[in-house]
Amino acid sequence: MTNLIYFHWMRPLKILLAGAFVSASIVSPGSGEVWANSDNNKIATAIQTLKQSDQRWIQINLSKQNLIAWEGSNPVYAITISSGKRSTPTRIGTFKIQTKLKKTRMRGRGYDVANVPHTMYYQGGYAIHGAYWHNRFGTPVSHGCVNLAPNHAKWVFDWADVGTPVVVQK
């Protein structure tokens, strides 16, 4: 397979890889007990497991507003996204692509958009999809979905199958 990584992602990718396994812990001053941040630990464990496989998977980093398509430990495609705005955030966690639709209509409070291209639902109404109605990639502006430029959405749609793991992290 041809490597389609955009070279301007190479430096941030190294930082991403270095920080992928960092998790936070909270120490209770009264008892000395340590509680691990379970979401961060689950995400870190999922990433570590996926990198040790040869499986295709998608990593979405909300703080960097990027999506990386992986085959095991090899990144094969990296792009800028637009995730959910503060009032309608994108959920973090580990998911799997449940449904793929070449085009669909999306409706919700304050929006009704026809012909949304290359939509991949991964949890309830949350999806990775093309967004032809804006060009603000790199900025959280969606209603919780992961927006991609239509040409990038097509690439990811064609590459991923139903069941492909999706890891969304802060």
Side-chain angles (χ1 to χ4, degrees):
M1 170 172 258
T2 304
N3 190 343
L4 297 175
I5 293 179
Y6 291 85
F7 290 105
H8 67 276
W9 281 101
M10 294 310 289
R11 183 166 288 132
L13 183 61
K14 289 178 186 173
I15 294 167
L16 174 70
L17 295 175
F21 299 106
V22 176
S23 63
S25 296
I26 301 168
V27 178
S28 171
S31 65
E33 296 174 328
V34 176
W35 295 293
N37 182 326
S38 63
D39 285 340
N40 286 345
N41 286 341
K42 287 178 187 176
I43 291 169
T45 300
I47 290 170
Q48 187 174 25
T49 301
L50 289 163
K51 284 185 177 181
Q52 292 172 354
S53 74
D54 60 356
Q55 187 173 7
R56 289 182 176 191
W57 60 286
I58 297 168
Q59 181 178 30
I60 297 165
N61 187 309
L62 301 177
S63 64
K64 295 182 183 200
Q65 290 292 288
N66 70 12
L67 177 151
I68 302 172
W70 295 83
E71 292 180 9
S73 62
N74 299 314
V76 295
Y77 200 75
I79 54 175
T80 302
I81 65 160
S82 180
S83 65
K85 56 191 172 187
R86 185 174 294 195
S87 61
T88 54
T90 302
R91 291 191 179 167
I92 63 166
T94 57
F95 312 97
K96 290 187 178 192
I97 301 294
Q98 297 172 352
T99 307
K100 291 176 59 172
L101 303 168
K102 282 197 174 208
K103 284 190 180 178
T104 192
R105 178 177 214 109
M106 291 188 159
R107 297 178 191 167
R109 182 179 289 187
Y111 66 96
D112 183 357
V113 184
N115 300 316
V116 177
H118 303 103
T119 301
M120 297 184 293
Y121 286 99
Y122 60 87
Q123 199 235 357
Y126 292 87
I128 299 166
H129 62 76
Y132 59 81
W133 54 90
H134 77 81
N135 192 21
R136 296 185 60 203
F137 302 103
T139 304
V141 298
S142 83
H143 289 88
C145 287
V146 177
N147 291 186
L148 313 177
N151 59 327
H152 296 304
K154 180 182 183 332
W155 189 94
V156 176
F157 184 91
D158 291 343
W159 175 84
D161 294 321
V162 169
T164 298
V166 176
V167 178
V168 183
Q169 65 187 120
K170 287 190 177 188

